[in-house]
Amino acid sequence: MTKNTKIKLVIIAMLNLVLTVCILCSCNFVLNNGLEKITVSYDSTHKIYDGDSLESLKPFLTVIYTNEKGNPSVIEDYNINGNLTVGACSIKVEYKDLSSTLAFNVEKNLEFNINNDKESYSLVKVYNKQSPSVEVPSIYNGKPVTQIDFFAFDECAALKNLIIGSNIMELSPNMFRHSHNIEEIKISEDNPYYYSSSDCIIRKSDKTLVLGCNNSLIPNDVVFIGERAFWGSNIKYVVIPNSVISIGEAAFESCDNLESVVIGNKVAEIQQDAFAYCKRLESINISNSVKKLGELAFGECVSLKTVIIGSGISSIDPIFFRGSSNIQSLTVSTGNSRYYTANNCIIERETGELVLGCKSSIIPTDGSVVSIGHDSFYGCVGLTSIAIPSSIKQINWQAFYNCKNLSVIVYYGTVSSWNSISKFAGWNEGVLTKKVGCSNGEVSLP
């Protein structure tokens, strides 16, 4: 057999080996003295985008070295040279004094549209949803990039590092919907509208934190935490500094890994859904400075067990905590002029109405409570029994709505007294038991 025939057989064998590892995109052989060589193949099912690093290609390359004796081996220690620009590209793979050139097509990662002014561009889409790093350029096609469209980064679950250029004029968390794994976020120091600090982006004009991420530490100069600023992020611990006066709507909504929140002593308002659906949050201490809570501010926090409400709150509505069904400790600051707590019940001083209860509540029997407020035990699935004192004159709508494990209701009064209590629609809807035990008999419930 001739020398050339042997070489051909080795090449055929190598091609068969490579094809079993990945889909062969392209390969080129450079022989050293006609004996040594490297073979490079690329898994063409993986798209390459401009902005990808050469190192990011390595998991999709197979480089095989064949020595003078014809023995092949897969190698990991090799160099790659080249530039990944949109269109037809090639890279050079080098091992020892051998090299192989691989050609392929590079697709664009970022899509831009010209704005109505014809003088600037908007980023409208990120194609590579698996890219760990994206930089929004300041300039595209010779014109400034001034906007990022809503949902441009939608579903970029692998995105960890984000850099934003100097000409972006408006930012919204909606641009990064379901991109929950961002760990580092920065904006160009030359941007006149925003600055970045501690992995937060802050609007200069009013010191509103508009965008945070998993590793954010809220700076001490932030005044407002903007709407949806951390929505859906994987942040674990949050300290709201004393500079902040307002926490915006849905600011931390659906932060599934959020375990701890410290609220500064200047926060006056916690808006609707601010901490809703934070399913690992176990306790919250609402500082004395807070005067207003929005609907579902701590709603659907299924692990929430301890709630402390400060002296500043002048209106407490059960809807603040709707769906947080595992609360077992309720406390109101003794300095609160409108509300107080007794036996894990929050009671309005002037009216004697129980406005909020939990699964550990015991309604006081000293005559201080005369009505059970609307929705006060709404959805409290941990509540299994309740004793209602004879001082109660009114049970408001949906007071025990969907307390589906409430199997025992006791009334410390007669059947006649029970029947005289004003009961509003749905007060016991979804309750397990269908009877009330009174001092002189039982009453059936509808």
Side-chain angles (χ1 to χ4, degrees):
M1 183 180 293
T2 65
K3 180 178 180 181
N4 289 335
T5 302
K6 290 181 179 179
I7 292 174
K8 288 178 181 179
L9 289 175
V10 170
I11 292 174
I12 292 170
M14 285 301 304
L15 285 175
N16 288 335
L17 176 62
V18 168
L19 285 169
T20 63
V21 176
C22 61
I23 298 173
L24 185 62
C25 178
S26 176
C27 59
N28 181 44
F29 306 110
V30 178
L31 305 183
N32 181 22
N33 299 322
L35 294 174
E36 291 181 284
K37 58 182 170 294
I38 59 172
T39 305
V40 182
S41 64
Y42 177 72
D43 181 358
S44 60
T45 62
H46 175 75
K47 290 183 178 180
I48 304 174
Y49 296 89
D50 65 310
D52 285 353
S53 68
L54 291 174
E55 286 296 313
S56 71
L57 299 184
K58 282 193 171 184
F60 307 97
L61 293 178
T62 301
V63 180
I64 297 177
Y65 165 70
T66 303
N67 63 19
E68 297 94 329
K69 295 181 179 180
N71 298 322
S73 59
V74 177
I75 60 172
E76 304 289 344
D77 184 20
Y78 56 85
N79 296 320
I80 309 177
N81 293 307
N83 294 308
L84 300 180
T85 57
V86 176
C89 285
S90 65
I91 58 171
K92 181 184 285 187
V93 177
E94 299 171 333
Y95 176 68
K96 294 186 175 181
D97 57 348
L98 305 173
S99 66
S100 179
T101 302
L102 184 67
F104 44 78
N105 189 62
V106 175
E107 301 185 22
K108 66 178 180 180
N109 186 26
L110 306 181
E111 181 176 329
F112 299 88
N113 282 347
I114 192 76
N115 293 329
N116 291 334
D117 62 6
K118 306 300 181 184
E119 297 297 328
S120 60
Y121 280 92
S122 292
L123 171 63
V124 296
K125 189 173 184 179
V126 177
Y127 283 98
N128 185 6
K129 304 300 184 182
Q130 300 306 312
S131 177
S133 180
V134 171
E135 181 172 355
V136 180
S138 299
I139 302 293
Y140 174 75
N141 202 22
K143 298 181 186 296
V145 178
T146 59
Q147 298 178 39
I148 301 174
D149 279 10
F150 273 17
F151 313 130
F153 287 82
D154 195 21
E155 304 289 352
C156 290
L159 183 61
K160 293 186 176 181
N161 302 299
L162 176 64
I163 300 175
I164 299 174
S166 62
N167 293 314
I168 294 296
M169 301 171 63
E170 188 70 29
L171 286 171
S172 166
N174 289 326
M175 301 166 184
F176 306 95
R177 189 181 67 164
H178 304 307
S179 299
H180 301 326
N181 293 309
I182 300 175
E183 297 176 352
E184 183 178 7
I185 186 166
K186 288 182 170 52
I187 197 164
S188 169
E189 293 180 356
D190 297 325
N191 191 293
Y193 308 103
Y194 299 93
Y195 67 96
S196 54
S197 177
S198 301
D199 295 308
C200 301
I201 294 184
I202 301 147
R203 189 164 54 225
K204 292 181 177 181
S205 61
D206 57 3
K207 296 298 180 70
T208 295
L209 191 160
V210 297
L211 188 61
C213 66
N214 298 352
N215 292 337
S216 294
L217 297 174
I218 301 174
N220 290 327
D221 60 344
V222 171
V223 177
F224 304 96
I225 298 178
E227 178 181 333
R228 299 171 69 87
F230 289 86
W231 187 91
S233 80
N234 286 318
I235 194 167
K236 288 186 176 182
Y237 309 105
V238 170
V239 176
I240 310 293
N242 293 336
S243 58
V244 173
I245 63 173
S246 177
I247 301 173
E249 181 176 334
F252 295 91
E253 182 180 345
S254 297
C255 291
D256 289 347
N257 292 314
L258 183 60
E259 297 176 4
S260 172
V261 177
V262 177
I263 298 175
N265 60 22
K266 294 295 178 60
V267 174
E269 178 183 33
I270 301 175
Q271 295 185 20
Q272 177 177 336
D273 297 314
F275 294 92
Y277 298 95
C278 292
K279 62 184 182 182
R280 293 191 181 181
L281 187 62
E282 294 190 0
S283 65
I284 190 68
N285 188 338
I286 300 170
S287 60
N288 291 332
S289 61
V290 177
K291 293 178 172 56
K292 182 180 178 181
L293 289 178
E295 292 185 3
L296 295 171
F298 297 93
E300 302 292 340
C301 295
V302 294
S303 296
L304 190 61
K305 294 180 177 64
T306 303
V307 174
I308 301 173
I309 298 176
S311 61
I313 293 291
S314 59
S315 178
I316 295 176
D317 193 303
I319 202 169
F320 299 159
F321 304 96
R322 174 75 59 82
S324 300
S325 56
N326 288 304
I327 296 173
Q328 59 190 30
S329 176
L330 290 169
T331 305
V332 173
S333 169
T334 55
N336 193 298
S337 60
R338 185 171 180 182
Y339 300 99
Y340 70 96
T341 45
N343 305 331
N344 292 309
C345 301
I346 296 180
I347 303 161
E348 188 174 28
R349 295 179 187 275
E350 183 176 349
T351 64
E353 180 168 279
L354 189 159
V355 297
L356 185 62
C358 65
K359 67 180 184 180
S360 303
S361 294
I362 299 174
I363 303 175
T365 58
D366 59 0
S368 60
V369 179
V370 297
S371 67
I372 300 174
H374 72 87
D375 301 301
S376 50
F377 290 88
Y378 186 108
C380 189
V381 295
L383 185 68
T384 58
S385 64
I386 194 75
I388 299 174
S390 58
S391 59
I392 295 296
K393 306 301 180 186
Q394 182 170 292
I395 303 176
N396 284 289
W397 67 90
Q398 296 186 326
F400 295 94
Y401 180 86
N402 207 30
C403 293
K404 57 186 179 182
N405 295 311
L406 181 54
S407 59
V408 177
I409 300 178
V410 175
Y411 173 62
Y412 293 151
T414 65
V415 170
S416 175
S417 295
W418 171 260
N419 290 332
S420 68
I421 295 174
S422 297
K423 305 174 192 71
F424 287 75
W427 76 269
N428 67 324
E429 185 175 341
V431 168
L432 180 61
T433 186
K434 295 300 179 184
K435 62 183 180 179
V436 175
C438 303
S439 62
N440 61 342
E442 289 184 349
V443 177
S444 297
L445 297 176

